[in-house]
Amino acid sequence: MLSSLRTICRCHILMIVRQITSRLIINPHLYAHLRKPWGVHGMARPSSDLAAFREIFSKAKNIAIITGAGVSAESGVPTFRGAGGFWRKWQAQDLATPEAFSRNPSRVWEFYHYRREVMLTKNPNPAHLAIAESEERLGKQGRTVTVITQNIDELHRRAGSKNILELHGSLFRTRCLTCGHEAANYNSPVCAALKGKGAPDPETDDAQIPVQQLPRCEQTGCHGLLRPAVVWFGETLDSDILTRSEKVLDSCDLCLVVGTSSVVHPAAMFAPQVAARGVPVAEFNMEDTPATMRFKFHFQGPCGTTLPPALARHETEPN
């Protein structure tokens, strides 16, 4: 009987692990645990030798670049993380859930309308531009650069990147709750009733827009309620995007991790899994992350400063 109980416990633990690695989860207790070294006591710190990285970069044929909120923060994009990361009196995890949208679609749409309008005032920074330039330049040499991003702001696209896998969707896409149609939506405002709404100040009252006046589907005969086509907390990632990301990571011979905290799953596991099969991984971040000691390189500082020289044309490249 004791053996059976142990088996049941093991199965239960495995089920929890699978849930964690297939869903978008930020857990403060998990983060605190991961801040501890991953059983790599005594391992040397990753190298910050730019010349050594550049030598590997010059020979790489398939480069995967995983990006997170840090790269967008340098463009002035609010991250809604940590201290001060509030919209009115709510944090993102209070609003970015199916349950929050079901309870108060007007409030959630105000939040996303605000984020969309803010993004229209922001521009790609040198890190975005360096990634896009390297993709175009190396593509002419028969080499590939693929961006796998957790960001929903489309700054990579605006910078000129073409090979982009958006794990968490886009602020500028909507999906109908009735017919399921998904489409790009760059309307400003996203609907007439949201014009001038969404101010982030804590004293601002909810607009309480009637649901009939919120963004609606324009497919013939539908008129269903639209939601932002982003992955909310507790939702699974798009299986096609996840499969394509895994394919890129399985075939890459160099991986860069740029501006990500390495605590949002499943993306937090991508680079460590690449490193585990012996592929060089370079982390570009303002500080160490729970995964730093797993990587070959770590370049500390603003991504807009550290990344451009790392991805610039190598002397061995053709003109």
Side-chain angles (χ1 to χ4, degrees):
M1 183 175 179
L2 183 58
S3 177
S4 298
L5 286 173
R6 285 173 178 163
T7 301
I8 291 170
C9 288
R10 289 194 194 100
C11 291
H12 185 61
I13 291 168
L14 286 171
M15 181 179 69
I16 293 172
V17 169
R18 289 193 188 103
Q19 289 175 343
I20 288 175
T21 57
S22 66
R23 293 178 183 270
L24 173 64
I25 296 174
I26 298 180
N27 185 313
H29 302 294
L30 175 66
Y31 179 77
H33 174 70
L34 288 177
R35 289 296 293 179
K36 301 173 184 177
W38 293 7
V40 287
H41 299 287
M43 181 179 286
R45 276 198 57 80
S47 169
S48 58
D49 186 337
L50 182 60
F53 168 81
R54 297 270 296 156
E55 183 66 22
I56 294 172
F57 168 72
S58 70
K59 299 172 182 176
K61 302 295 185 184
N62 298 292
I63 302 171
I65 303 181
I66 303 167
T67 68
V71 69
S72 291
E74 292 180 32
S75 287
V77 178
T79 63
F80 299 103
R81 301 266 179 85
F86 287 82
W87 176 83
R88 294 181 185 168
K89 58 184 178 182
W90 294 281
Q91 289 188 306
Q93 55 263 43
D94 300 322
L95 300 167
T97 70
E99 294 78 18
F101 191 75
S102 179
R103 285 193 304 268
N104 196 328
S106 173
R107 178 188 295 157
V108 173
W109 259 121
E110 276 200 87
F111 174 58
Y112 280 95
H113 169 65
Y114 166 73
R115 296 180 71 179
R116 285 164 58 100
E117 295 298 301
V118 166
M119 281 315 308
L120 294 176
T121 71
K122 305 302 180 183
N123 295 301
N125 63 57
H128 296 107
L129 297 173
I131 291 170
E133 191 278 332
S134 67
E135 178 190 325
E136 181 181 18
R137 188 183 79 243
L138 299 184
K140 295 175 181 176
Q141 303 169 25
R143 301 159 67 190
T144 64
V145 174
T146 304
V147 176
I148 301 172
T149 187
Q150 300 172 77
N151 300 334
I152 61 175
D153 50 44
E154 293 199 3
L155 284 177
H156 283 298
R157 196 175 306 280
R158 287 169 55 190
S161 291
K162 300 292 192 298
N163 298 329
I164 310 170
L165 295 171
E166 294 170 319
L167 292 172
H168 300 160
S170 167
L171 278 173
F172 297 99
R173 294 187 70 82
T174 55
R175 183 164 68 249
C176 178
L177 293 180
T178 299
C179 72
H181 179 71
E182 185 172 316
N185 184 316
Y186 295 94
N187 297 337
S188 175
V190 65
C191 70
L194 281 165
K195 185 175 182 179
K197 307 299 182 183
D201 309 287
E203 303 303 317
T204 303
D205 293 328
D206 284 356
Q208 298 183 359
I209 300 168
V211 68
Q212 296 83 2
Q213 296 178 28
L214 292 172
R216 313 298 296 195
C217 182
E218 297 181 358
Q219 292 295 102
T220 304
C222 183
H223 203 60
L225 177 64
L226 295 178
R227 58 160 279 180
V230 297
V231 179
W232 280 332
F233 292 100
E235 293 184 324
T236 55
L237 301 187
D238 181 280
S239 59
D240 179 59
I241 296 293
L242 192 55
T243 298
R244 290 163 62 192
S245 298
E246 290 170 347
K247 185 177 179 180
V248 168
L249 294 165
D250 286 344
S251 62
C252 73
D253 52 5
L254 175 62
C255 179
L256 281 64
V257 188
V258 183
T260 175
S261 60
S262 293
V263 295
V264 179
H265 286 262
M269 297 305 299
F270 288 169
Q273 288 170 352
V274 171
R277 64 181 180 88
V279 173
V281 176
E283 183 177 57
F284 295 79
N285 208 14
M286 288 294 293
E287 58 185 4
D288 284 5
T289 71
T292 296
M293 294 299 289
R294 294 285 183 178
F295 303 148
K296 187 175 183 67
F297 297 99
H298 176 81
F299 298 100
Q300 190 160 332
C303 302
T305 301
T306 58
L307 199 58
L311 297 181
R313 183 184 298 274
H314 191 268
E315 60 184 15
T316 60
E317 290 183 40
N319 291 323

